[in-house]
Amino acid sequence: MENKSLKYFLIMAGSTNHMLRGEKLLRETGIETALVPAPSEYGSVCAIAIRVSETVIQEAKDILTQYNISLSGIYEDIPKKLSGLLERISNQIISEDFLSVLSKVEDGRDLTYDDIVLLISSEKRAELDALYTAADRMRQEVIGDVVDIRGAIEFSNICRKDCNYCGIRNSHPSLERYRMSEDEICEVVHQLHSMGLQTVILQSGEDLWWTPDKIVHLIRRVKKETNMKITLSIGERSREEYALYKEEGANNFLLKIETTNRDIFKNIHPDDDYDHRVQCSNWLKELGYLNGSGSIIGLPGQKVGDIAKDILYFKEMGINMIGIGPFLPAKGTPYEFLPPGNVEMTLKAVAVTRLVCKRVFIPATTALASIDPDGQTKALKVGANTIMLISTPDRYRCNYQIYSDKNMIDLDSALTAVREAERKLPPYLKKDMR
Ligand code: SF4
C-alpha cells in the first residue's frame, strides 16, 4: 500500500534480466518493491522499473551494487502533471465541477471516489472529449506512443468452474472441449517469437489436468527455446504453485477480479470467494509478478459507483495490467439473453483508469473489438497501450468463446488499430510483419 507522504523512486536496470534479478534480491531482503512500466523518457519500449520508497532507496542501491546488478538510472517518481491541459479544453460547455476534477489531473493530484463517479457519469460530448483528451495525454506522458503487442494462446477450454457469464463454463451444454498439447502450444510460441513478439500469454480455463509439473515443463521449454516473457492466465491456484511458476521464469499473471462489488461477484462467480480472489492477487504481487486484473462493464446490477470502486481497487492493489471490457452475453450460459455492456461506458472506465492508475498497461480489449469494430482504435485513443493477438490455432479458437461472436484479433487488425489511432508499432516487431 502506498504511503502518500513518502517520495518514491524508479530504479532502471541495464537489462530485463538484471531488473528481474535485482527485484528478487530486494524482495528477499525484505524491501517492499513494485514493478511498474518505466516512463517512456527513461526506458526502452515497455521496459519495467523497480519502484521503492525513499526510506529504502539507499539500502536498495547498496544491495544492487553489491550483487553487480547493472543500473541505467534512478529517478524520483514525480506525480505526473498535465500542464496546459485545461487550456486545450473549451471551458464554456463543461461544468465547473467537471473542470475542477480535470484541474486536479492537471496538477498531478489524486482523484477521489466522488471525482471518479463524476467523470464516469457524464454523458455530455464536450466533457467526454475533454476526459479522453486528458487520458490520451496521460498515456503519452507516462508510457509513450508505442503500442505493446502480445500474443495469446488459449491452450485449454476445460474449466472446473461455472462462472455465469462465461462461454466455456463447466456446465456449458454443447461446447466442444479441447486441450492443446505442449508441442502444439510451442509451435505457436515459435510463430510469435519469429514475428519478433516478446511476450506470450498462456491462457486456459481452470483445467487441473495441467498439473504444476506440466506447467513447469511448458514454462521451461518456452524459456529455453525462445526466452519470451510469459504471462500466465490459468486462474486460482495455491500460493505454492504461483511461487513455483515465478521461480521457473513466468513473468506476469493475469487474474481478473471482474468486479469489486461483493454481491455481483458472488452472483457471477458461484464457485468463488471474493476474499480468496483478492488474496490470490496479493500473493501474485508479493511473489513479484507483474500483476494483471481487470473488470467487466455492464454486469447485471452494476452501478457507476461500482466501476469507480473497481478503479480505486486497481490503484490500491498496485495492479500493473488492467483489462477492461464490456459484458458480452455468451450463448449457452445463464446470462445469454442479458443486454451487453455499453461501449462508451467502457471507454470512460478505460480513460479514468489511465488518469487514476497512470503508469500501467491497459489493453485495448478483444471484448471491445467484438462489440464495436473500431473498439480497439477507440480504446487506444483514450488511454490504452497494449493489444493482445488471439493466436490460438484456427481449429480450436472457435471453442474458446468466453462470450459469443468474439473478434479474433490478428496481426492485421492490430496493425490497423495502431495506425488508425496514429500510434507507433513496437520496434521489436519484425519489419516484414509491419
Ligand atoms: S471465467 Fe474463467 S474460471 Fe470462470 S468459467 Fe470461465 S474460464 Fe472458468
Side-chain angles (χ1 to χ4, degrees), residues 159-163 165-170 204-206 258 269 272 277 400 402:
C159 187
R160 61 178 161 162
K161 290 190 175 161
D162 247 333
C163 303
Y165 57 87
C166 179
I168 65 167
R169 67 200 296 269
N170 185 272
S204 70
E206 291 196 15
E258 308 298 10
H269 297 124
D272 289 322
R277 179 65 59 95
Y400 202 97
I402 301 279

Side-chain angles (χ1 to χ4, degrees), residues 178-212:
Y178 70 86
R179 186 182 277 140
M180 289 170 66
S181 69
E182 187 185 283
D183 282 347
E184 286 177 308
I185 298 168
C186 286
E187 193 184 324
V188 184
V189 171
H190 279 281
Q191 287 162 12
L192 297 172
H193 186 239
S194 68
M195 292 159 65
L197 299 194
Q198 297 185 326
T199 304
V200 58
I201 299 159
L202 300 174
Q203 185 163 52
S204 70
E206 291 196 15
D207 177 3
L208 299 188
W209 180 89
W210 278 93
T211 58

Side-chain angles (χ1 to χ4, degrees), residues 40-41 78-83 85 88 102 104-109 111 131-145 350-360 362 381-384:
S40 55
E41 62 268 38
I78 299 167
K80 191 54 81 179
K81 296 186 181 185
L82 299 184
S83 24
L85 174 68
R88 294 182 52 187
L102 290 184
K104 283 173 114 176
V105 172
E106 186 177 61
D107 296 342
R109 284 179 283 154
L111 300 189
L131 169 63
Y132 296 156
T133 299
D136 195 43
R137 173 93 190 276
M138 181 65 82
R139 184 271 310 151
Q140 188 177 38
E141 296 272 341
V142 297
I143 214 159
D145 284 333
V350 167
V352 177
T353 300
R354 174 61 73 197
L355 293 180
V356 171
C357 301
K358 300 186 175 75
R359 194 170 292 123
V360 291
I362 301 182
K381 287 181 168 176
V382 303

Side-chain angles (χ1 to χ4, degrees), residues 30 32 98 119 149 173 181 216 281 359:
E32 194 173 327
F98 203 91
L119 293 181
I149 299 180
S181 69
V216 165
S281 202
R359 194 170 292 123

Side-chain angles (χ1 to χ4, degrees), residues 255-306:
L255 181 70
K256 288 183 167 189
I257 190 81
E258 308 298 10
T259 174
T260 54
N261 178 313
R262 285 170 179 271
D263 294 334
I264 300 176
F265 185 94
K266 188 72 211 155
N267 285 340
I268 65 174
H269 297 124
D271 307 306
D272 289 322
D273 175 73
Y274 180 83
D275 292 316
H276 183 66
R277 179 65 59 95
V278 175
Q279 175 72 78
C280 287
S281 202
N282 272 320
W283 287 337
L284 293 165
K285 187 164 182 62
E286 286 161 21
L287 291 165
Y289 282 97
L290 267 187
N291 198 359
S293 186
S295 57
I296 301 178
I297 304 297
L299 287 167
Q302 189 182 50
K303 307 264 189 319
V304 166
D306 296 320

Side-chain angles (χ1 to χ4, degrees), residues 81-268:
K81 296 186 181 185
L82 299 184
S83 24
L85 174 68
L86 293 194
E87 279 171 29
R88 294 182 52 187
I89 294 167
S90 163
N91 297 7
Q92 278 139 37
I93 38 177
I94 297 178
S95 72
E96 283 296 316
D97 287 347
F98 203 91
L99 272 180
S100 95
V101 176
L102 290 184
S103 82
K104 283 173 114 176
V105 172
E106 186 177 61
D107 296 342
R109 284 179 283 154
D110 284 337
L111 300 189
T112 64
Y113 169 81
D114 287 340
D115 294 335
I116 296 172
V117 168
L118 187 124
L119 293 181
I120 302 179
S121 302
S122 175
E123 292 182 352
K124 292 187 195 154
R125 195 65 257 163
E127 292 184 347
L128 295 186
D129 287 346
L131 169 63
Y132 296 156
T133 299
D136 195 43
R137 173 93 190 276
M138 181 65 82
R139 184 271 310 151
Q140 188 177 38
E141 296 272 341
V142 297
I143 214 159
D145 284 333
V146 170
V147 177
D148 191 27
I149 299 180
R150 302 171 176 198
I153 307 170
E154 298 145 331
F155 64 91
S156 166
N157 72 349
I158 295 169
C159 187
R160 61 178 161 162
K161 290 190 175 161
D162 247 333
C163 303
N164 280 322
Y165 57 87
C166 179
I168 65 167
R169 67 200 296 269
N170 185 272
S171 358
H172 192 288
S174 56
L175 184 69
E176 198 178 316
R177 301 285 171 175
Y178 70 86
R179 186 182 277 140
M180 289 170 66
S181 69
E182 187 185 283
D183 282 347
E184 286 177 308
I185 298 168
C186 286
E187 193 184 324
V188 184
V189 171
H190 279 281
Q191 287 162 12
L192 297 172
H193 186 239
S194 68
M195 292 159 65
L197 299 194
Q198 297 185 326
T199 304
V200 58
I201 299 159
L202 300 174
Q203 185 163 52
S204 70
E206 291 196 15
D207 177 3
L208 299 188
W209 180 89
W210 278 93
T211 58
D213 282 351
K214 288 176 181 143
I215 291 176
V216 165
H217 201 269
L218 175 62
I219 292 171
R220 285 185 184 161
R221 191 164 159 196
V222 171
K223 285 287 171 186
K224 183 161 172 258
E225 294 180 9
T226 67
N227 202 26
M228 289 179 83
K229 290 190 202 127
I230 297 174
T231 299
L232 289 177
S233 179
I234 54 174
E236 291 186 354
R237 305 282 169 134
S238 67
R239 191 184 198 281
E240 291 68 34
E241 259 188 78
Y242 290 148
L244 176 66
Y245 306 146
K246 185 77 184 64
E247 200 58 38
E248 293 292 341
N251 307 92
N252 319 322
F253 204 104
L254 183 56
L255 181 70
K256 288 183 167 189
I257 190 81
E258 308 298 10
T259 174
T260 54
N261 178 313
R262 285 170 179 271
D263 294 334
I264 300 176
F265 185 94
K266 188 72 211 155
N267 285 340
I268 65 174

